[in-house]
Amino acid sequence: MKTYSVKYSEENDIVISGDGNNNIWNKADSLIDFTSPWNGNVIKKTTFKAVYNSEKIFFQFIVNDSLRHLHLSENKNDSINVSDRVELFFRSDAFINPYYCLEIDTAGRIMDFKAKPNKNFDFNWSWPSEDIFVKSSINKTNFIVEIAISLQSLEALNLLKNGIIETGIYRAKYHKQKEGTFLPTWITWVNPNTETPNFHTPTSFGILKLERF
C-alpha cells in the first residue's frame, strides 16, 4: 500500500489558520502524487501535508485552482456534494466496515458521515465537534483547507492503531460545461483500479504512518 510518513512536532499549542503560514507545515513532507485514473483531464497540482503532536493530527491541502465552484443551497450536504472539495476517508479495517468520511469544500464546510460497504452512508453520524477543527482560505490562484483532529477521537473510532491510520485522500473538481452545468473530475492519491470513479472501495486507501509513535 502507498504510505505517507507523518512527521512529529514538539509544539503543543498549534492553532491552524487556513492560510498555510503556520511553521508546522515546514516539518511535513509534501505529497503531490494525485491522479484522475478515469479520464484524460488535466489535473492541477494538489499538495497534501500532515503533521502531528501529542494531542492532534493536522492535515493541509493546497489546491492550485483559480476557478473554484462553490454551490450554495439550504441543504448543506447537498451543496457540498456538488462543490469543489477535498476529502479524507479513514477505515477501521480492510473491509471498510465501517469507515468515516470527511468532505470539505472551499468555504471550509464539512460533510461528515459514517459508512459501510456498498455505499451504505449514515448522515446522522458526525465527528464530535470538540475533536475536529477546520479553517480554509481562497486565494487568487489556489485554495487551502487545514484540518485538526484529536488523536483521542481517532483511537476511539478504532482508526489509529500502532501509529497507522489507513486513509483515502481525494479531491473533487467541478468543471463548467458549455450548457452551463457542472461535471466532476475525481482525483485520488491511490488508484483504486475501478472501471468507473469510486472512492468508496477498499482499494482506494493508503497508509499514514505516524513517526515516533
Side-chain angles (χ1 to χ4, degrees):
M1 294 175 68
K2 278 189 173 181
T3 300
Y4 172 87
S5 183
V6 183
K7 306 294 187 183
Y8 180 78
S9 173
E10 300 282 358
E11 297 180 50
N12 292 321
D13 298 321
I14 298 174
V15 179
I16 57 173
S17 58
D19 60 10
N21 292 326
N22 195 303
N23 288 332
I24 64 162
W25 304 119
N26 296 330
K27 299 178 181 294
D29 292 335
S30 294
L31 188 159
I32 59 172
D33 186 17
F34 291 91
T35 62
S36 180
W38 303 282
N39 58 50
N41 290 356
V42 175
I43 306 301
K44 291 191 175 181
K45 183 179 179 181
T46 299
T47 302
F48 170 86
K49 293 183 177 183
V51 66
Y52 80 107
N53 65 7
S54 60
E55 296 183 351
K56 298 176 182 178
I57 184 169
F58 305 88
F59 305 98
Q60 181 196 71
F61 291 85
I62 299 179
V63 179
N64 288 7
D65 191 357
S66 59
L67 297 172
R68 281 82 51 172
H69 175 59
L70 180 64
H71 176 80
L72 297 175
S73 70
E74 292 184 1
N75 187 302
K76 183 192 70 171
N77 283 356
D78 286 348
S79 177
I80 295 171
N81 195 46
V82 290
S83 295
D84 289 356
R85 62 189 183 273
V86 298
E87 304 181 6
L88 290 171
F89 293 0
F90 306 106
R91 71 183 190 185
S92 59
D93 58 43
F95 305 101
I96 58 171
N97 191 23
Y99 61 109
Y100 299 84
C101 306
L102 297 173
E103 305 191 11
I104 304 170
D105 67 14
T106 60
R109 299 180 302 170
I110 305 173
M111 177 168 62
D112 48 354
F113 54 98
K114 182 179 180 180
K116 293 183 178 181
N118 301 313
K119 299 185 178 181
N120 181 0
F121 301 152
D122 178 6
F123 287 100
N124 291 319
W125 182 89
S126 60
W127 209 284
S129 59
E130 66 273 17
D131 290 309
I132 188 169
F133 181 68
V134 172
K135 293 286 288 184
S136 67
S137 63
I138 299 175
N139 309 291
K140 185 176 181 179
T141 60
N142 63 34
F143 69 89
I144 301 172
V145 175
E146 296 179 350
I147 308 151
I149 298 176
S150 74
L151 298 180
Q152 183 179 16
S153 68
L154 289 166
E155 290 175 332
L157 294 169
N158 200 31
L159 301 173
L160 173 58
K161 305 173 187 178
N162 299 316
I164 297 292
I165 309 171
E166 297 189 12
T167 307
I169 309 173
Y170 320 103
R171 178 182 159 214
K173 170 60 189 171
Y174 278 78
H175 298 275
K176 190 172 184 178
Q177 308 301 299
K178 290 182 179 179
E179 67 274 17
T181 61
F182 287 84
L183 292 178
T185 294
W186 302 104
I187 301 164
T188 179
W189 171 38
V190 176
N191 182 353
N193 292 304
T194 55
E195 184 176 349
T196 58
N198 186 8
F199 297 160
H200 299 272
T201 180
T203 54
S204 75
F205 286 75
I207 289 174
L208 302 185
K209 176 69 175 71
L210 276 58
E211 293 187 354
R212 297 176 52 183
F213 193 84

